[in-house]
Amino acid sequence: MGLTKQYLRYVASAVFGVIGSQKANIAYVTLRGGEKGRYVAVAACEHVFIWDVRKGEKVLILQGQKHEVTFLCPSPDGVHIAVGYEDGAVRIFSLMNGENSVSFNGHKSAVTVIHYDGLGARLVTGSKDTDVIVWDIINECGLYRLRGHKDVITEALFLKDKNLLVTSSKDSFVKWWDLDTQHCFKTMVGHRSEVWGMVLLNQENRLLTGSADSELRAWDIDYLQEVRNNTALFSRILSCKKAGSILREARDRVVSLITDTKARVIACHGSDSVLELFTVLSEEEVQKKMTKKLKKAKKKAANESTNRELRSTNAETHSPPPSPLRWVDCLMCVGGELKIVLLLQNNTIETYSLKTSDKTPTANKTARLTLGGHRTAVRTLAFSSDNLAILSASGDTVKVWNRSTLQVIRTMACEYALCSLFVPGDRQIILGTKSGKLQIFELASGSLLETVDAHDGALWSLCLAPDQRGIVTGSADKTVKFWDFELVTDQGTGQKRLTLKHTRTLQLEEDVLCVKFSPDHRLLAVSLLDCTVKIFFTDTLKFFLSLYGHKLPVLCLDISHDNTLIATGSADRNVKIWGLDFGDCHRSMFAHDDSVMFLQFVPKTHLFFTAGKDKKIKQWDADKFEHIQTLEGHHREVWCLTISPNGDHIVSSSHDKSLRLWERTREPIILEEEREMEREAEFEESMAKGDVPVVPGETQGEAAPAGKKTADTVKAAERIMEALELYKEETRKMEEHKYACVNAGKELPPPKPNPILVAFGNITVSRTTIKNKFHLEVSLLVLPFSYVPELLKLLNSYIQQGLEVELVCRCLFFLLRIHFGQISSNQMLLSVIDELRDNTLSKVREIRDVMGFNSAALQFLQREIEKKEDVVFFAEATGQLEKKKKRRRKRERVVLTIA
């Protein structure tokens, strides 16, 4: 057997360059008992970053998996944060250590809203799949799915003192749900267009909704006496009548509508850069204000029919942010200070503070996070010759990063950059701009040395000459120009600086999209707008070859290190590999599902990487014409990538404003396994898009099970079936052994235990099925009924032994609900069900009595300790904690003062 070619795997190393993703909201959080308003949580692609806005530092990263974050919601106690994802999953992270403690999976598409109830024990989520799901956080399970809306869910709010839920949607309806019966008892139809947000005010006696127009509608909520009879089952819970409306300054739709925790301040904004703030006045404040107005002008009596007034303190009193707002959060602090954090559309976070008690509140900007990312998408990347520095340039700035720390070394203002490179020596960089100019920057001083008017059109490509004495540029003005490096004396400083001297020009008939020297400096490859690639001799500029075959223009190309191959990537989604000897096409491969934007060979190999608008980066073998691996992670179009000179690192940039670092590992890739993993991923994705499991005997009404069938639930059901089969086999072995002992008249050695039982620590065979706790209900739902009788007998034995009674009861009740007809008609199971009923009731009573006794004993001990020490229990520990907080704040103030 011949030797096979070994490929090494590239893996994701880090995500940087993104301060806050636009898809998810921003939220204030509290870390380790720190001060309020200091830390904010914001989505960063699939991760969540916790920023210290005072220091401008990233203090915690909540690691995601694959899908983009779409919503954030901190828990009422501030210890956890719930994160919703693009695939419909919801994960709850601890803000103490950043670990994922609970995961829910019930939605088919992106989560659009998450909210906790007042105690933090339940979670409600809404999604693009139009469903609302209520989750039990303590038991880590879904309670029920609420159906009724016809479009994306935009808001879902619990009512604190009543078991009610109110939801809004883009279908223009607001629905009220009774969670005791999982039924919609009221639908509000007073909106003409989508309802984008809503908040509860006045101790949940008023509802304020924001729609697609400039009007905020106020609704009075009147809670009536509940009557539960056959004629008026749901109609007597509450009534909701329109009380009035408020006109906003903006004329577009409401993007977000939020309040602080006590609903004293309302923040509202549209898609522009204006944030409007309203303070909610109490009854007394309203009466005082109305009395003053009546005294001033009796003719203009207030025409407001509401019990409360909303006083506008528009944030336009300060200069609005230059970039449109994307999300906002507010927090009321001690002394009436309102802290506001804004996530802008240009990858920036800004914080403001204002005093609500002032007559004319003015907002003061307190912090701005901009250093760690570009304002627009990065269009060009380059590695330094020592593999340590990374150059990234966008529409307004160029940044140089340290690869090992991912910190910004230099930030310089520039024009719209399309291409870039490090000058040999890594002391200067050159940018090619959209206006056709070449900009030369010095890294030591971070200054612009010179701007050269190189072309009349966009400068799409530049390439360093192999002899490192100059560069070549290609532009939309149909010319290719050659430049030499020169040192000239600066008239201002008298010191020598780098400049470019134009030496030759190659005139062509079409726009130039890409230029590349062959490593031996013999040939020059030029990609043109007519879908061809022309090869010229570098010394004479004579025509050598024409590579034609692409149906759309070639956007990128590269030449291998040994000058034998040229690979081209086109907007027709194909990659072609050509020989440079005769210009013959070796192979054409369908590479991406959209345009191929960038292509580069790994140094000193015939392996190359391509980046496409389909959000993927792929590695290929140009000798065997094989697809090696796919690097997935970006959530928008990938514009460019660069490979380090040693081939160990790759940096890629995307329209999601993120930069990603990939590194080469020592792990070999087996292509057959790689293809198998891709097929499994496709199968799991198709399974997640399937229908929600149907419970037999239940109609598909407004309430449905919260779970979703996934590959994990199918695997869990298979493990349950394997465990039951193992139980049957081991039981049969034990019976045969007992029969053999009776026949032999003596005790025979026991049979060897199954290896699976040994792997689990020599547990008894009846304990194998209890290991499956995750995805419980959906796993039991897909379990065939032929396994249910045996499982019921096992559950009976578990209850008799007192093994995990709560989990066993959950399994038992769910199985009885979904298989009631078949179980009740099976005479063989009647005795088992009778025995289960008696055992379950007695065991649950026993556990309840133990818990009650323990609770009473603990309360008694607490009273005795408090009486003995004459202090309130835990009061001393609480006081010490407060002293520690004060000392920490003093130290931080001293540090800031010194800084």
Side-chain angles (χ1 to χ4, degrees):
M1 181 178 176
L3 291 174
T4 58
K5 193 170 184 178
Q6 190 181 62
Y7 307 108
L8 296 179
R9 185 181 299 280
Y10 284 81
V11 297
S13 175
V15 179
F16 62 106
V18 57
I19 296 174
S21 295
Q22 309 300 304
K23 211 159 194 177
N25 61 315
I26 190 169
Y28 276 112
V29 294
T30 306
L31 291 187
R32 308 179 194 91
E35 64 179 275
K36 287 185 176 182
R38 180 169 179 176
Y39 303 101
V40 296
V42 67
C45 299
E46 68 271 22
H47 306 305
V48 176
F49 289 169
I50 310 296
W51 291 94
D52 184 339
V53 293
R54 178 186 292 180
K55 297 181 179 179
E57 295 178 356
K58 199 185 305 175
V59 294
L60 184 63
I61 299 177
L62 308 180
Q63 295 286 342
Q65 294 179 354
K66 178 182 176 183
H67 297 277
E68 200 170 5
V69 175
T70 56
F71 204 87
L72 304 172
C73 181
S75 62
D77 58 5
V79 178
H80 298 89
I81 184 169
V83 183
Y85 293 88
E86 183 75 30
D87 63 339
V90 178
R91 297 185 182 91
I92 298 177
F93 292 88
S94 169
L95 290 173
M96 299 298 168
N97 51 25
E99 293 182 357
N100 176 19
S101 55
V102 183
S103 296
F104 299 124
N105 205 333
H107 291 290
K108 289 184 185 177
S109 53
V111 176
T112 55
V113 62
I114 303 176
H115 277 293
Y116 282 89
D117 67 353
L119 298 175
R122 291 181 301 174
L123 197 71
V124 60
T125 60
S127 168
K128 285 185 177 179
D129 62 7
T130 74
D131 289 347
V132 176
I133 301 180
V134 180
W135 307 91
D136 185 342
I137 298 175
I138 297 173
N139 290 321
E140 301 182 15
C141 67
L143 296 177
Y144 32 79
R145 181 189 304 265
L146 303 175
R147 294 169 170 162
H149 286 291
K150 304 298 181 185
D151 209 333
V152 178
I153 308 298
T154 56
E155 190 61 280
L157 301 171
F158 283 107
L159 274 73
K160 292 180 182 178
D161 300 328
K162 302 167 183 64
N163 199 22
L164 302 177
L165 180 74
V166 56
T167 60
S168 65
S169 169
K170 286 173 65 176
D171 61 5
S172 77
F173 297 141
V174 175
K175 288 181 176 288
W176 293 83
W177 306 82
D178 185 347
L179 298 183
D180 291 328
T181 58
Q182 298 102 56
H183 189 82
C184 174
F185 63 88
K186 188 175 186 62
T187 300
M188 295 165 52
V189 294
H191 299 86
R192 298 177 182 176
S193 55
E194 301 96 335
V195 181
W196 288 100
M198 61 180 179
V199 291
L200 288 165
L201 307 172
N202 192 16
Q203 298 178 349
E204 299 182 347
N205 287 320
R206 173 163 296 168
L207 182 71
L208 192 68
T209 59
S211 186
D213 51 21
S214 59
E215 189 179 353
L216 296 179
R217 294 170 176 82
W219 310 79
D220 279 339
I221 305 169
D222 187 14
Y223 298 98
L224 308 175
Q225 181 68 33
E226 295 189 18
V227 177
R228 300 283 177 178
N229 52 43
N230 294 331
T231 58
L233 188 60
F234 299 108
S235 60
R236 302 294 295 170
I237 297 179
L238 59 82
S239 66
C240 198
K241 297 179 181 179
K242 187 173 180 180
S245 61
I246 308 160
L247 287 177
R248 301 188 295 120
E249 292 287 336
R251 292 289 176 261
D252 56 347
R253 75 170 180 88
V254 171
V255 172
S256 66
L257 180 66
I258 62 162
T259 65
D260 65 316
T261 52
K262 295 184 179 179
R264 288 283 295 165
V265 175
I266 304 167
C268 176
H269 73 87
S271 55
D272 54 11
S273 59
V274 177
L275 173 68
E276 296 177 74
L277 298 176
F278 302 90
T279 54
V280 183
L281 303 182
S282 64
E283 295 286 347
E284 295 178 359
E285 290 171 328
V286 170
Q287 291 300 326
K288 288 180 181 179
K289 198 170 183 66
M290 293 300 295
T291 304
K292 287 181 180 179
K293 283 186 176 181
L294 286 170
K295 286 180 179 179
K296 288 181 179 179
K298 291 184 178 180
K299 295 180 181 179
K300 296 181 180 179
N303 57 355
E304 298 172 0
S305 60
T306 60
N307 295 329
R308 161 192 307 268
E309 178 181 312
L310 297 172
R311 176 167 60 88
S312 172
T313 58
N314 199 321
E316 283 183 302
T317 51
H318 69 92
S319 58
S323 176
L325 299 178
R326 190 64 189 93
W327 297 102
V328 64
D329 195 19
C330 60
L331 182 68
M332 186 64 75
C333 299
V334 180
E337 182 189 8
L338 180 68
K339 291 186 177 181
I340 305 161
V341 61
L342 308 176
L343 176 61
L344 308 184
Q345 290 187 10
N346 64 351
N347 197 27
T348 303
I349 294 175
E350 291 185 354
T351 59
Y352 293 83
S353 69
L354 57 87
K355 287 282 187 179
T356 56
S357 56
D358 295 346
K359 290 185 177 180
T360 56
T362 57
N364 301 310
K365 186 186 293 187
T366 55
R368 191 167 189 257
L369 303 182
T370 58
L371 185 63
H374 289 272
R375 308 286 72 76
T376 57
V378 172
R379 298 304 298 265
T380 175
L381 293 165
F383 252 110
S384 62
S385 59
D386 58 2
N387 310 286
L388 295 178
I390 302 166
L391 162 68
S392 64
S394 65
D396 55 355
T397 55
V398 54
K399 291 179 181 284
V400 180
W401 308 76
N402 184 319
R403 179 188 55 78
S404 56
T405 63
L406 300 180
Q407 297 297 314
V408 178
I409 303 171
R410 285 286 182 272
T411 299
M412 297 160 283
C414 68
E415 294 187 21
Y416 198 115
L418 297 176
C419 49
S420 62
L421 56 79
F422 276 91
V423 176
D426 298 334
R427 294 184 179 181
Q428 297 89 14
I429 60 173
I430 299 177
L431 300 183
T433 69
K434 197 172 184 179
S435 60
K437 297 176 182 178
L438 286 170
Q439 292 189 308
I440 307 172
F441 292 88
E442 186 178 36
L443 294 183
S445 61
S447 60
L448 175 64
L449 293 180
E450 186 180 1
T451 299
V452 181
D453 293 326
H455 292 272
D456 296 329
L459 203 158
W460 289 110
S461 178
L462 58 85
C463 178
L464 181 67
D467 60 3
Q468 298 189 346
R469 294 182 178 180
I471 62 172
V472 61
T473 59
S475 168
D477 63 0
K478 305 178 183 179
T479 59
V480 174
K481 293 187 178 181
F482 296 80
W483 309 79
D484 285 344
F485 295 131
E486 274 195 354
L487 288 175
V488 296
T489 303
D490 194 311
Q491 296 179 356
T493 62
Q495 297 179 349
K496 289 193 174 183
R497 63 171 178 82
L498 181 74
T499 187
L500 290 171
K501 180 184 177 183
H502 179 219
T503 57
R504 293 184 295 171
T505 300
L506 175 62
Q507 186 68 42
L508 296 164
E509 297 178 355
E510 295 287 342
D511 292 10
V512 177
L513 299 178
C514 190
V515 292
K516 202 74 176 180
F517 279 117
S518 62
D520 60 2
H521 208 181
R522 188 174 72 93
L523 300 174
L524 175 70
V526 182
S527 164
L528 302 176
L529 197 62
D530 62 0
C531 310
T532 64
V533 177
K534 308 286 187 185
I535 311 292
F536 298 91
F537 290 105
T538 305
D539 50 359
T540 62
L541 298 183
K542 286 185 178 180
F543 175 75
F544 175 48
L545 292 171
S546 179
L547 311 179
Y548 55 90
H550 284 290
K551 296 177 181 177
L552 290 172
V554 174
L555 303 177
C556 49
L557 57 88
D558 199 11
I559 299 174
S560 63
H561 71 287
D562 55 3
N563 310 289
T564 58
L565 298 175
I566 178 172
T568 58
S570 167
D572 63 7
R573 304 178 289 180
N574 292 315
V575 167
K576 292 182 186 289
I577 301 170
W578 318 75
L580 266 181
D581 293 334
F582 307 103
D584 55 322
C585 181
H586 292 182
R587 184 65 63 92
S588 179
M589 299 179 291
F590 182 78
H592 291 270
D593 295 328
D594 209 330
S595 300
V596 182
M597 300 304 297
F598 206 85
L599 184 150
Q600 187 177 350
F601 275 97
V602 178
K604 299 180 182 179
T605 70
H606 278 186
L607 308 178
F608 64 92
F609 280 89
T610 60
K613 279 189 175 182
D614 60 354
K615 315 172 190 176
K616 295 177 182 177
I617 300 169
K618 295 185 179 182
Q619 186 184 17
W620 307 84
D621 187 341
D623 291 330
K624 295 187 175 181
F625 317 118
E626 286 183 323
H627 172 216
I628 300 171
Q629 65 172 327
T630 301
L631 304 180
E632 292 185 283
H634 284 295
H635 302 285
R636 298 292 183 276
E637 302 93 329
V638 182
W639 293 121
C640 60
L641 60 85
T642 182
I643 304 175
S644 61
N646 60 9
D648 286 342
H649 297 89
I650 300 172
V651 177
S652 57
S653 73
S654 167
H655 198 65
D656 60 13
K657 295 186 178 67
S658 70
L659 301 175
R660 288 179 184 265
L661 179 66
W662 315 81
E663 61 182 25
R664 184 163 58 187
T665 63
R666 301 297 102 188
E667 178 190 353
I669 293 178
I670 301 171
L671 296 183
E672 291 77 8
E673 291 183 1
E674 201 73 13
R675 301 294 88 81
E676 182 65 28
M677 288 168 59
E678 289 177 5
R679 285 192 291 270
E680 286 181 4
E682 288 179 7
F683 173 72
E684 291 180 10
E685 202 169 318
S686 63
M687 184 178 293
K689 294 178 181 177
D691 295 331
V692 177
V694 178
V695 178
E698 292 193 2
T699 58
Q700 293 298 301
E702 291 179 332
K708 182 177 76 171
K709 182 180 178 182
T710 62
D712 291 331
T713 59
V714 173
K715 290 175 184 176
E718 289 174 352
R719 288 196 294 270
I720 293 175
M721 289 188 280
E722 289 172 3
L724 289 170
E725 293 289 349
L726 178 62
Y727 171 74
K728 290 180 183 178
E729 181 185 344
E730 292 297 308
T731 305
R732 181 181 53 80
K733 282 184 184 179
M734 296 302 293
E735 290 177 354
E736 290 177 355
H737 173 69
K738 189 184 296 183
Y739 182 71
C741 290
V742 171
N743 288 341
K746 62 178 181 178
E747 187 68 29
L748 298 175
K752 289 184 178 180
N754 192 288
I756 297 177
L757 300 179
V758 176
F760 276 107
N762 287 321
I763 62 173
T764 59
V765 66
S766 62
R767 292 291 304 276
T768 53
T769 55
I770 204 72
K771 296 291 179 184
N772 297 285
K773 297 182 182 180
F774 301 107
H775 314 290
L776 182 64
E777 292 185 352
V778 183
S779 302
L780 292 174
L781 192 57
V782 299
L783 185 72
F785 180 75
S786 57
Y787 291 91
V788 172
E790 202 69 40
L791 184 56
L792 290 175
K793 294 175 184 176
L794 269 176
L795 294 179
N796 189 23
S797 66
Y798 292 157
I799 288 181
Q800 288 177 346
Q801 299 171 41
L803 297 175
E804 306 200 38
V805 176
E806 185 181 353
L807 177 65
V808 170
C809 287
R810 269 181 68 189
C811 296
L812 175 62
F813 299 152
F814 188 76
L815 287 172
L816 291 174
R817 184 158 66 92
I818 64 175
H819 296 296
F820 177 76
Q822 290 171 289
I823 291 174
S824 59
S825 61
N826 191 333
Q827 297 293 326
M828 302 287 292
L829 291 176
L830 289 180
S831 58
V832 178
I833 297 298
D834 282 338
E835 195 173 348
L836 271 168
R837 180 185 59 194
D838 297 337
N839 293 335
T840 303
L841 289 172
S842 62
K843 190 59 70 173
V844 169
R845 285 197 192 101
E846 181 182 328
I847 292 175
R848 186 183 61 190
D849 292 342
V850 170
M851 291 180 65
F853 181 84
N854 291 340
S855 176
L858 288 171
Q859 291 173 8
F860 172 76
L861 288 173
Q862 180 179 344
R863 287 193 298 271
E864 288 295 313
I865 293 172
E866 289 177 355
K867 188 184 298 181
K868 182 178 179 181
E869 298 185 0
D870 198 24
V871 293
V872 178
F873 202 43
F874 298 129
E876 186 178 352
T878 307
Q880 289 178 356
L881 182 63
E882 289 297 326
K883 289 179 182 178
K884 285 182 180 178
K885 286 182 183 178
K886 288 180 181 178
R887 285 199 295 267
R888 188 188 302 131
R889 288 171 189 161
K890 285 183 181 178
R891 285 198 302 269
E892 289 176 353
R893 290 195 193 102
V894 171
V895 169
L896 288 172
T897 305
I898 293 172

